[in-house]
Amino acid sequence: MLSGCGINEVVDRDEDVKAAWAEVQNQYQRRADLVPNLVSVVKGAANFEQQTLTAVTEARASVGSMKVDASILDDPNRFRQFEQAQQQLSSALSRLLVVSENYPDLKASAAFRDLMVQLEGTENRIAVARQRFNLAVAEYNKVVQRFPTMIGAMIRGKNVRPTFEAHTPGAERAPEVKF
Amino acid sequence: MTSRAAVLALWLASGSALALEVPAVTRRVNDQAGVLSSTDQARLEQRLADYERQTGHQFAVLIIPSLQGDPLEDYALRAAEKWRLGDKRRDDGLLVLVSVQDRKARIEVGYGLEGAIPDVLAGRVIREAFAPHFASGNYARGLETGLELLMRAARGENVGPPSRGPVGTGPPPFMFILVLLLFLNAFFGWLPRLLRMPFIGFCGGALGWFFWGILGAVGLGLLGFMVGFVRLSSGMGFGHHHHHHGWRSSGWRSSGGGFSGGGGRFGGGGASGGW
């Protein structure tokens, strides 16, 4: 029977992966959308370290310039580039959070506090979305690699896909650095 | 299927091998730490039950003595996923997690309520309603104040009608039924014998196209012609069953006295805080 060869199953798993990818993108987009607000609030603080702000703005720009349609799923190189760009934004943001420790007035402001809550929430969603994406890809890769479902996958022209680097839970969140 | 077991397996594999277990849900207000009096517990329980009756939104509380080293966010999400709070179509569940010794709390917001209860609001509820009361040991008062704010925020949220019956069991598409009926008719019945072969072939092709695109159309079409030919030559039928497993019913929402989640999903929305 054809359905035993995974010809349908590979489609189902493919859709799961695409849905999980859409969620990952949404959450990264959500974070990118927060950045301009964050930058403008931080700029308001007297003498805020310019270098840190520039790094965030640049990382935000490079994330924004990437094309991330679903075809990236089948292109490990672009996938890694995407992840690196997002990682850069993560680092720039956590650097900004560390530096902001030196500006008590900024930290005490309601606008900054609310932005921190939003940023935390977004990082948490990103972590969840990445994990679910990896699970979906793992299921998909099984279908693509195992017999007999690999037959259906071959007929459909589906190949193994990359996952995000494994992170321990919580590693996505901004590290707490104390001076 | 991205099963819940797979989710659990990932959690286990990802370093939290000794992850703290989430208790089974039996009621809306679960106090594992024993910080609520039984009257407070019953009052909160009643309040949340009334609210669920009015709005359909499923709110629950879990108070644990300690996270035992687990990250707050991970544990909260696991609890929310295990309890499956909220309607399965509206995803309108909400979990308040309090860890007494860690002095931490989290409000985990279901997908469907993320608009009504944005992270900033959840954060404010923790900071301004939970934290001051929790700090002085008055957990009941803190929860009551905070939950009222959250319930009010979510009350106006129109997130679509509640699901009736299992999700994903929409009627099979009209075309499919029509073709299937024609197929069965041609197979068992009234068509003149000479018409049967092309007809069954055609219907087989249509069914194949329906399920598997062009390739399936050719495959099943040929199969149909062959079946038609066999039928034509021998006049004998044989059973040929196709199981399509797309329309599954997975609904479970227990009735009776206990409390159980409605299948709502969570995506990590909400806020955390301490006191």
Side-chain angles (χ1 to χ4, degrees):
Chain A
M1 198 123 72
L2 271 170
S3 55
C5 302
I7 196 137
N8 279 337
E9 208 184 343
V10 72
V11 174
D12 293 347
R13 297 296 81 81
D14 184 44
E15 289 305 316
D16 289 350
V17 169
K18 282 178 181 156
W21 174 249
E23 179 69 9
V24 168
Q25 260 182 285
N26 278 345
Q27 299 310 341
Y28 274 125
Q29 186 58 48
R30 185 192 184 106
R31 179 171 77 172
D33 291 344
L34 280 177
V35 169
N37 260 341
L38 185 62
V39 168
S40 75
V41 166
V42 169
K43 259 185 186 160
N47 296 325
F48 196 89
E49 197 183 289
Q50 191 57 41
Q51 199 188 345
T52 314
L53 273 179
T54 314
V56 170
T57 314
E58 277 171 5
R60 163 72 178 80
S62 101
V63 161
S65 69
M66 299 200 82
K67 283 239 178 286
V68 282
D69 49 43
S71 72
I72 196 175
L73 298 174
D74 292 307
D75 187 341
N77 284 332
R78 273 172 66 214
F79 189 84
R80 293 284 163 247
Q81 280 167 14
F82 172 82
E83 192 174 14
Q84 270 164 19
Q86 295 294 354
Q87 202 55 51
Q88 237 157 36
L89 181 54
S90 298
S91 315
L93 281 172
S94 48
R95 171 82 191 143
L96 184 134
L97 298 194
V98 170
V99 171
S100 66
E101 292 287 321
N102 303 328
Y103 300 80
D105 290 348
L106 173 67
K107 272 186 67 189
S109 79
F112 186 76
R113 208 179 43 196
D114 283 349
L115 272 166
M116 285 305 102
V117 172
Q118 283 175 286
L119 196 58
E120 272 171 29
T122 301
E123 295 289 357
N124 193 44
R125 286 184 180 85
I126 289 172
V128 172
R130 283 171 61 111
Q131 236 155 24
R132 289 183 179 167
F133 173 81
N134 278 359
L135 278 176
V137 173
E139 291 294 316
Y140 165 91
N141 282 347
K142 262 192 247 168
V143 169
V144 169
Q145 287 173 298
R146 276 190 182 164
F147 186 83
T149 48
M150 59 180 288
I151 298 170
M154 256 159 60
I155 294 172
R156 298 268 190 205
K158 297 292 181 192
N159 298 308
V160 171
R161 284 173 174 163
T163 55
F164 288 116
E165 298 296 329
H167 284 286
T168 46
E172 273 285 304
R173 283 169 214 121
E176 280 181 50
V177 181
K178 299 236 158 63
F179 290 117
Chain B
M1 176 168 18
T2 5
S3 65
R4 299 167 55 68
V7 174
L8 187 67
L10 184 104
W11 278 112
L12 292 176
S14 63
S16 36
L18 298 170
L20 188 58
E21 203 182 324
V22 176
V25 64
T26 51
R27 41 168 74 170
R28 289 172 185 79
V29 181
N30 301 264
D31 179 14
Q32 308 263 310
V35 294
L36 295 179
S37 72
S38 56
T39 45
D40 286 338
Q41 196 277 335
R43 195 179 62 248
L44 280 170
E45 179 84 27
Q46 189 57 46
R47 182 72 188 91
L48 294 182
D50 288 345
Y51 183 71
E52 185 181 336
R53 211 166 22 252
Q54 290 160 13
T55 63
H57 304 331
Q58 230 173 13
F59 285 25
V61 177
L62 172 59
I63 307 173
I64 56 172
S66 160
L67 285 161
Q68 295 174 24
D70 266 15
L72 176 72
E73 285 79 10
D74 296 344
Y75 186 80
L77 185 65
R78 270 188 290 139
E81 285 183 328
K82 179 171 178 181
W83 291 5
R84 308 172 83 213
L85 299 166
D87 180 87
K88 74 170 80 173
R89 217 166 265 178
R90 301 183 310 191
D91 297 324
D92 56 345
L94 181 143
L95 174 73
V96 172
L97 172 69
V98 180
S99 178
V100 175
Q101 282 165 34
D102 299 290
R103 302 175 76 84
K104 280 183 188 167
R106 175 160 179 85
I107 299 172
E108 192 76 35
V109 180
Y111 275 123
L113 292 178
E114 285 187 6
I117 306 176
D119 298 354
V120 168
L121 175 65
R124 205 168 288 159
V125 166
I126 291 175
R127 255 191 337 265
E128 290 164 17
F130 288 174
H133 293 295
F134 289 2
S136 59
N138 197 343
Y139 292 91
R141 187 70 198 282
L143 284 171
E144 204 159 19
T145 318
L147 283 168
E148 285 303 328
L149 290 169
L150 293 167
M151 287 191 282
R152 200 182 310 153
R155 187 183 290 278
E157 182 73 344
N158 181 14
V159 280
S163 63
R164 301 208 186 283
V167 183
T169 55
F174 170 74
M175 277 299 288
F176 171 71
I177 293 179
L178 186 74
V179 169
L180 190 70
L181 279 178
L182 286 172
F183 182 77
L184 289 176
N185 257 330
F187 202 90
F188 293 113
W190 37 261
L191 271 184
R193 281 197 159 193
L194 278 174
L195 278 179
R196 273 185 200 165
M197 186 175 82
F199 200 79
I200 293 179
F202 167 77
C203 290
L207 282 175
W209 172 75
F210 188 85
F211 285 123
W212 299 304
I214 295 302
L215 198 88
V218 174
L220 259 196
L222 284 175
L223 189 72
F225 276 112
M226 276 160 57
V227 169
F229 181 71
V230 171
R231 292 270 300 157
L232 181 68
S233 52
S234 71
M236 273 170 50
F238 57 85
H240 182 65
H241 288 279
H242 252 304
H243 286 287
H244 180 59
H245 49 262
W247 307 306
R248 60 172 179 246
S249 71
S250 57
W252 63 279
R253 184 163 191 160
S254 84
S255 50
F259 168 74
S260 70
R265 294 162 308 153
F266 292 76
S272 313
W275 59 91

